[in-house]
Amino acid sequence: MKSTLLACTAIIFALSSVPAVAQDASSQDDAGKAADSSDIIVTANRTESRLSKTPLAMTAISQDGLRDAGIVDARSLGQIVPNLQISTDRDNARVAIRGVTSADTTEKGDPSAAFLLDGVYIARSSDILGSFFDLERIEVLRGPQGTLYGRNTTAGVINVISARPKAEFEASGDAYFGNYGQRGATAMLNVPVGASLGLRAAVNYERMDNVIKLANTSGGTLLPARDIFSGRLSFGGTLGDRFKFVMRGDYSNANGSMLNVLPLSNAYNTAVAKGVDQPHIGRSTKDYLTYPFALAGPDQRDYKFGGIMGEFSYDFGLFELTYLGSYRETHRDDRRNYIVGSFTSNPAVYRGRFNQWSHELRAAFGQGNPLHGQFGLYYFREKSDISLILGPPEANGPGGPNAIGFGFIQGPTQSTSKGVFGTLTYDVTPELHLTGGVRHTKDEKSRDGLTVTRYPTAAVSPCNALQCTLNTNIAANDWSKTTWKIGVDYDSPIGLIFANVSTGYKAGGFNDGCLTTSGGVGCILTPETLFYQPENLTAYEAGVKLRLSNAIRLNGAVFHYDYSGLQLNQVVTTPVPGNRTSNAAKAKVDGIELEANITPYAGGAFSVGVNYLDARFADFIPDVTFPNSTNPLSFAGKQLDHAPKWTANLGYTHTIALANDAEIELGVRSLLSSSYAITNLGTLSQFKQPGFSKTDLNITYNAPEKRYYVQLFLKNLENELTVSQAQGGRLANVQFEQPRTYGVRAGFKF
């Protein structure tokens, strides 16, 4: 694949010397190009640039684009972003970009794709499932971004950017209603403060019933699947010609049911031998979504999360200095139902307290000069305390027949990351640019915790106390890594051509348990079983962003990844009960992404995206003893998780102009996907989601000057229930993405 990349890069650069039929379009001035609605301003390189002139594979979606696609939270972004899948693991998010993902969503785990809110890294995956409202845009960067964004960016970056306050009056409101009890509303008010400052407030409410149906309601009924209120207050603007700033505070409260898992047998034939992939079962939507047991106890979430942030920039002339700082907290109090052995519900109680600090200082220099770049410092710290206690019958396995609880009391768990970074770009000519960047990161992690059993009285307890310690969970370690990037881009007469080599890094971590030298209860692990090492990725990529005419835009990328030390997660009972992460040997990723936007006539706009992805294990033997030590089962060649080989995004929008300058928009968008896999190390097998298509439709009336709109929408016309997550073992379960939904949406602005 590397030789293919070199050949494609040579061809792409050769094309730049060919006189284009779109020469007239390429000679337009910058103002004309910037006016193109598809060429929005982005900050992917931590400085402002036009999307068409940013030399990396990325997608940017405006607030109107999110509305037209019916995207109200992160889960639906994969409908319109190439090679992106965001699935849920209970109430945590799992992000996969080009087949690179992470399955450990516990307090000690890290994602492979960084999720940012206004440039601030969000550590806990549950927090990224909040509502999207009053946004400027969302930027999705595909491929490792270790130089500018640091750790946990081996897959890429998703940056959700809120609308900035303005020194003018604005107000808007949106509301929607639909099936499954869907209803939601957003309101925004922006007022000027003096001549150059603004104060902006936005609130949002979102609700949807649970699509899961209980076959037995004797244990209670289900609360809504989603019931979330959010608010944001922003203040900022400019003071003089050199100083600009924004300060924000946000808060969300999410309630409703925790139950979004179903028995694994609802979707897969579980009566297969170890090492054999479990066949997917075709069933009706009702059968897929039926929970066959009564609830074993209350099922309710109570999340409260939010934070404050500030970004301040001052232009000193020779350089511009920017500080970005944030503090965030998350409080989680859940009553859960787990599925045990595919035959009953099991009650559980979860409590989590998380907080994080982050600080970044950047200095950008040389803008407008041949040599320009930026340098920076970064600091991040997270601290958490959690407890998860499962009741009987699960508690009776490790705790005996008298146990009323089994689980984990973990904390404090702490993570610290420090980084120093810099990038330089040299303009060989006004069109040809060379870029290099480097970052050094040091990560430190530690945890004190216990695995425990609980009893109603000390008299029936094996340790003569209400709580017994099965084992101590103590670990501390640190890792460091230097990541880098080199690239070249050329602004040719027909558009941007670029190529780069970049690296990404995700920090190592630790499993439950402790070293034999720790002196705690049940400390039997060696460093090799307690700790897992960082995962590393080197990416080779070449791409184009072409404007072939005023009617045709074409983007393309070809890439190859060398991926080592994949961190894979599984639930285990020995040597210590809990989640265990280990490093797979190697993986390879090859891919091609093609996107075209075509407006062949007034009122008609086509979008076509076709993506090929070959993401597979290259060298991985998960168990050297199965089926025997002479010829163990190898995963070499098997798909990485959530990495379909072929996907296509097809869309068409037709705009009908009315006599009073109003308009009607008719839109259709389809996602077509081949099958993808979800790895289950517990049974040394993979679950397969068969190929599928999902189609969204909408009809929108826009009033003159778009002062208000009314929209009818339908999502997932085919009513295709696709698997978002699955796991085997004693707590086997499966989760599905949303079924068909429809409704009406309306809004105004002035």
Side-chain angles (χ1 to χ4, degrees):
M1 187 65 182
K2 293 179 186 177
S3 60
T4 303
L5 274 170
L6 292 173
C8 290
T9 303
I11 293 170
I12 288 169
F13 275 92
L15 281 172
S16 65
S17 63
V18 178
V21 296
Q23 191 67 38
D24 289 342
S26 68
S27 65
Q28 288 182 345
D29 61 24
D30 284 351
K33 289 182 180 179
D36 185 345
S37 61
S38 66
D39 197 14
I40 63 179
I41 300 297
V42 297
T43 53
N45 287 325
R46 297 300 181 101
T47 57
E48 291 189 348
S49 61
R50 296 205 311 275
L51 177 61
S52 66
K53 302 302 180 184
T54 304
L56 52 84
M58 66 173 295
T59 300
I61 314 157
S62 67
Q63 177 67 62
D64 287 345
L66 293 170
R67 182 205 73 184
D68 291 342
I71 295 175
V72 296
D73 58 61
R75 295 172 298 173
S76 299
L77 281 175
Q79 280 285 109
I80 58 176
V81 178
N83 283 327
L84 170 68
Q85 285 202 352
I86 299 180
S87 57
T88 53
D89 183 358
R90 291 196 176 273
D91 257 29
N92 295 296
R94 181 179 177 184
V95 181
I97 302 177
R98 292 177 171 175
V100 181
T101 187
S102 174
D104 188 353
T105 57
T106 68
E107 80 287 347
K108 63 182 178 60
D110 289 315
S112 294
F115 190 95
L116 311 181
L117 178 60
D118 298 315
V120 173
Y121 174 71
I122 305 299
R124 290 304 102 206
S125 63
S126 59
D127 292 3
I128 78 174
L129 294 176
S131 301
F132 289 164
F133 65 100
D134 193 35
L135 301 181
E136 187 74 30
R137 66 188 178 277
I138 294 176
E139 299 178 4
V140 181
L141 286 59
R142 302 188 291 279
Q145 308 295 326
T147 303
L148 285 177
Y149 293 93
R151 63 196 287 264
N152 304 336
T153 60
T154 49
V157 170
I158 300 174
N159 192 8
V160 178
I161 301 168
S162 307
R164 295 180 72 95
K166 303 175 183 178
E168 59 187 63
F169 179 81
E170 287 184 348
S172 66
D174 297 84
Y176 68 89
F177 298 89
N179 64 330
Y180 292 111
Q182 292 183 87
R183 51 184 180 270
T186 301
M188 181 278 295
L189 178 65
N190 188 104
V191 295
V193 179
S196 61
L197 302 176
L199 181 68
R200 191 180 189 97
V203 294
N204 183 83
Y205 176 71
E206 183 186 345
R207 184 191 185 280
M208 182 176 177
D209 290 341
N210 207 314
V211 300
I212 292 176
K213 301 303 178 184
L214 297 180
N216 186 338
T217 59
S218 62
T221 58
L222 292 176
L223 295 171
R226 195 167 174 86
D227 186 359
I228 180 169
F229 171 82
S230 304
R232 185 189 307 121
L233 184 65
S234 307
F235 174 65
T238 60
L239 294 174
D241 296 331
R242 296 177 177 266
F243 182 66
K244 58 184 179 181
F245 73 98
V246 63
M247 297 183 291
R248 294 187 177 98
D250 68 274
Y251 172 81
S252 295
N253 185 7
N255 297 290
S257 173
M258 281 293 300
L259 188 69
N260 56 9
V261 298
L262 291 150
L264 184 63
S265 57
N266 278 27
Y268 292 95
N269 180 359
T270 58
V272 295
K274 184 177 182 179
V276 178
D277 291 345
Q278 297 174 343
H280 185 272
I281 302 172
R283 310 182 73 177
S284 68
T285 299
K286 179 181 178 181
D287 289 339
Y288 276 138
L289 297 176
T290 296
Y291 190 83
F293 323 118
L295 298 178
D299 195 273
Q300 184 174 5
R301 77 167 62 84
D302 184 6
Y303 290 3
K304 297 179 176 67
F305 56 95
I308 56 174
M309 62 81 65
E311 185 174 22
F312 308 88
S313 297
Y314 190 85
D315 188 349
F316 287 91
L318 292 177
F319 64 93
E320 183 177 30
L321 190 66
T322 299
Y323 167 76
L324 175 64
S326 173
Y327 173 76
R328 300 193 64 81
E329 284 189 0
T330 299
H331 291 187
R332 297 179 58 176
D333 294 280
D334 305 336
R335 309 277 292 188
R336 303 180 176 181
N337 279 261
Y338 285 83
I339 300 172
V340 175
S342 296
F343 64 84
T344 188
S345 295
N346 196 102
V349 178
Y350 177 90
R351 180 184 185 274
R353 298 292 183 266
F354 306 83
N355 66 69
Q356 66 169 66
W357 291 90
S358 64
H359 305 276
E360 184 175 69
L361 187 66
R362 303 191 306 271
F365 64 93
Q367 299 302 312
N369 297 319
L371 183 65
H372 51 95
Q374 56 184 307
F375 296 94
L377 302 170
Y378 180 77
Y379 175 83
F380 172 86
R381 190 201 73 184
E382 182 191 22
K383 180 179 178 181
S384 67
D385 291 271
I386 72 103
S387 65
L388 172 62
I389 304 298
L390 289 80
E394 186 63 16
N396 302 133
N402 296 319
I404 60 171
F406 158 74
F408 311 91
I409 303 173
Q410 315 283 33
T413 302
Q414 299 188 79
S415 174
T416 302
S417 183
K418 303 171 185 176
V420 55
F421 61 92
T423 64
L424 284 173
T425 297
Y426 180 67
D427 300 339
V428 180
T429 69
E431 297 80 21
L432 179 63
H433 317 114
L434 303 176
T435 298
V438 65
R439 183 184 191 110
H440 183 75
T441 301
K442 182 174 182 180
D443 291 304
E444 300 174 347
K445 292 183 179 182
S446 65
R447 182 177 68 178
D448 292 327
L450 303 170
T451 303
V452 302
T453 53
R454 289 179 174 175
Y455 300 88
T457 65
V460 298
S461 166
C463 66
N464 295 316
L466 297 179
Q467 179 171 291
C468 301
T469 299
L470 291 182
N471 63 269
T472 307
N473 300 319
I474 300 176
N477 210 337
D478 63 82
W479 302 265
S480 60
K481 181 70 175 180
T482 298
T483 52
W484 50 268
K485 177 179 181 178
I486 55 173
V488 57
D489 64 272
Y490 181 64
D491 194 1
S492 79
I494 58 173
L496 185 69
I497 302 101
F498 64 91
N500 59 63
V501 182
S502 58
T503 59
Y505 149 81
K506 188 172 81 169
F510 42 76
N511 293 304
D512 294 326
C514 45
L515 294 173
T516 54
T517 56
S518 299
V521 177
C523 290
I524 60 174
L525 300 183
T526 64
E528 291 74 23
T529 52
L530 179 61
F531 299 108
Y532 54 90
Q533 299 307 308
E535 62 179 30
N536 299 283
L537 191 150
T538 301
Y540 308 84
E541 183 160 355
V544 296
K545 298 183 177 183
L546 306 179
R547 183 168 183 162
L548 303 181
S549 71
N550 288 335
I552 302 175
R553 280 186 175 273
L554 177 65
N555 297 334
V558 55
F559 53 89
H560 169 82
Y561 292 175
D562 289 325
Y563 192 9
S564 62
L566 283 76
Q567 297 169 4
L568 300 178
N569 188 61
Q570 62 179 311
V571 177
V572 298
T573 57
T574 60
V576 175
N579 284 283
R580 178 201 243 166
T581 300
S582 58
N583 295 95
K586 293 180 181 178
K588 302 286 186 182
V589 179
D590 297 307
I592 300 172
E593 296 170 346
L594 296 173
E595 300 175 85
N597 292 286
I598 306 169
T599 53
Y601 47 82
F606 292 89
S607 61
V608 179
V610 179
N611 312 293
Y612 169 77
L613 183 67
D614 185 12
R616 73 277 186 194
F617 292 102
D619 180 14
F620 179 42
I621 298 176
D623 186 343
V624 296
T625 67
F626 180 85
N628 56 70
S629 57
T630 304
N631 187 28
L633 176 68
S634 174
F635 268 43
K638 286 182 175 288
Q639 278 184 309
L640 298 184
D641 284 9
H642 294 281
K645 183 158 287 189
W646 289 98
T647 56
N649 304 79
L650 310 175
Y652 176 70
T653 301
H654 189 78
T655 303
I656 303 172
L658 303 180
N660 60 351
D661 292 329
E663 62 184 23
I664 294 176
E665 288 185 355
L666 309 175
V668 57
R669 180 183 296 274
S670 289
L671 168 65
L672 290 79
S673 174
S674 62
S675 64
Y676 58 81
I678 300 172
T679 300
N680 179 31
L681 290 184
T683 58
L684 302 182
S685 62
Q686 289 188 320
F687 303 109
K688 289 293 183 73
Q689 164 61 50
F692 63 90
S693 68
K694 293 183 180 181
T695 302
D696 299 341
L697 306 171
N698 62 70
I699 303 174
T700 307
Y701 170 80
N702 290 310
E705 300 181 353
K706 295 191 175 181
R707 290 300 186 184
Y708 67 88
Y709 74 92
V710 179
Q711 181 185 80
L712 301 176
F713 66 88
L714 185 152
K715 294 178 66 65
N716 190 2
L717 171 67
E718 298 88 341
N719 200 25
E720 187 76 51
L721 277 183
T722 52
V723 174
S724 65
Q725 191 57 39
Q727 74 174 47
R730 183 164 174 79
L731 300 179
N733 65 75
V734 65
Q735 292 176 253
F736 294 100
E737 296 180 357
Q738 295 296 320
R740 180 192 300 127
T741 57
Y742 52 85
V744 59
R745 181 182 290 113
F748 68 90
K749 62 181 179 180
F750 56 84

